[in-house]
Amino acid sequence: MTVIADQAAQPIQTPRATPRHYLMCPPQYFTVEYSINPWMDPGTPVDADRAMAQWDELKRAYERLGHTVEVIEPQPGLPDMVFAANSATVIDGRVLGARFRAPQRAAEAEHFRRWFTTRGYRDLVMPSRINEAEGDFAWTGQVLLAGSGFRTDPEAHAEAQEVLGVPVVSLRLVDPRYYHLDTALFVLRRGADARIAYYPEAFSAGSRRVLERMFPDAVIATAADAACLGLNGVSDGRHVVLPTEATGLAAQLADRGYEPILLDISELRKSGGGPKCCTLELHS
């Protein structure tokens, strides 16, 4: 209750960018070979060159904004490894790895674990519960918003709190199109006065009430913006990277002083991915 009251009482501040540290994986082996969410249709052709060009432009956009982007080597046979956000949750140097629900993605977790180990991350724990990392975890700088309903086990929320040492707020997703939290909500600004954008209809009634209490000044997305994965955005506190079709959400953000950056992610969306899915933030 204290966190909620403090957030509601904070005055609105001008959006301000802060440098970010990201990990990404090129879509060298990207394709849609199976279906593990409603967006995926193995019968739909995928343009691999276009997917790579879209990923390159996303990476360049982060670098133009002054952010640090590290790259992990993709592995053959793991077409969804491009969605690096699902690989780990990193807060204050502590790393909670991933454990995937779909067997097709299970091997990704070990490749990312090795990457963190070789980069000197010593405080690293692999989860005992199914946990799809930043796909279902969003760090506000004060609390970890944690989704469940389709992928991450609810019990993984308690495990994340123990490993990462931060308070966790559980949220339940109810629409299979928004199978991960990062398809229905993202953090615009971190801190005691955190701001988010989200699509209420993706959440259970109780979770909606929690979000309304915690974030009374949230940006509320329309069904049209949610349907193009507009909530799979990435914000540095001022600049907000969105799918190019999310024009209504972009207009709302611009009215609040943010600077939307619209990018084409249409090939990656064929697997249910967008800017955030491709981007793991290494919170220092």
Side-chain angles (χ1 to χ4, degrees), residues 172-194:
R172 183 167 179 80
L173 298 160
V174 295
D175 187 329
R177 294 173 299 170
Y178 308 112
Y179 58 95
H180 273 152
L181 183 67
D182 72 356
T183 64
L185 176 153
F186 71 102
V187 177
L188 288 164
R189 184 174 71 211
R190 295 198 304 253
D193 57 344

Side-chain angles (χ1 to χ4, degrees), residues 123-188:
D123 198 347
L124 186 155
V125 174
M126 298 305 290
S128 62
R129 300 289 186 171
I130 292 174
N131 154 16
E132 299 202 353
E134 283 197 338
D136 275 320
F137 292 148
W139 176 235
T140 73
Q142 296 286 302
V143 300
L144 189 68
L145 303 178
S148 67
F150 299 101
R151 296 291 187 84
T152 295
D153 284 342
E155 294 84 358
H157 299 177
E159 186 173 32
Q161 180 167 280
E162 285 301 309
V163 172
L164 298 171
V166 298
V168 173
V169 174
S170 294
L171 303 168
R172 183 167 179 80
L173 298 160
V174 295
D175 187 329
R177 294 173 299 170
Y178 308 112
Y179 58 95
H180 273 152
L181 183 67
D182 72 356
T183 64
L185 176 153
F186 71 102
V187 177
L188 288 164

Side-chain angles (χ1 to χ4, degrees), residues 2-12 192-193 195 213-214 216-217:
T2 301
V3 173
I4 295 170
D6 285 348
Q7 288 181 336
Q10 290 291 327
I12 295 175
D193 57 344
R195 296 288 185 269
R213 288 172 65 87
M214 291 186 68
D217 295 319

Side-chain angles (χ1 to χ4, degrees), residues 64-86:
R64 285 194 297 268
L65 294 171
H67 304 313
T68 300
V69 180
E70 297 196 58
V71 175
I72 186 173
E73 184 177 352
Q75 300 295 317
L78 296 176
D80 284 340
M81 195 171 166
V82 61
F83 302 126
N86 304 144

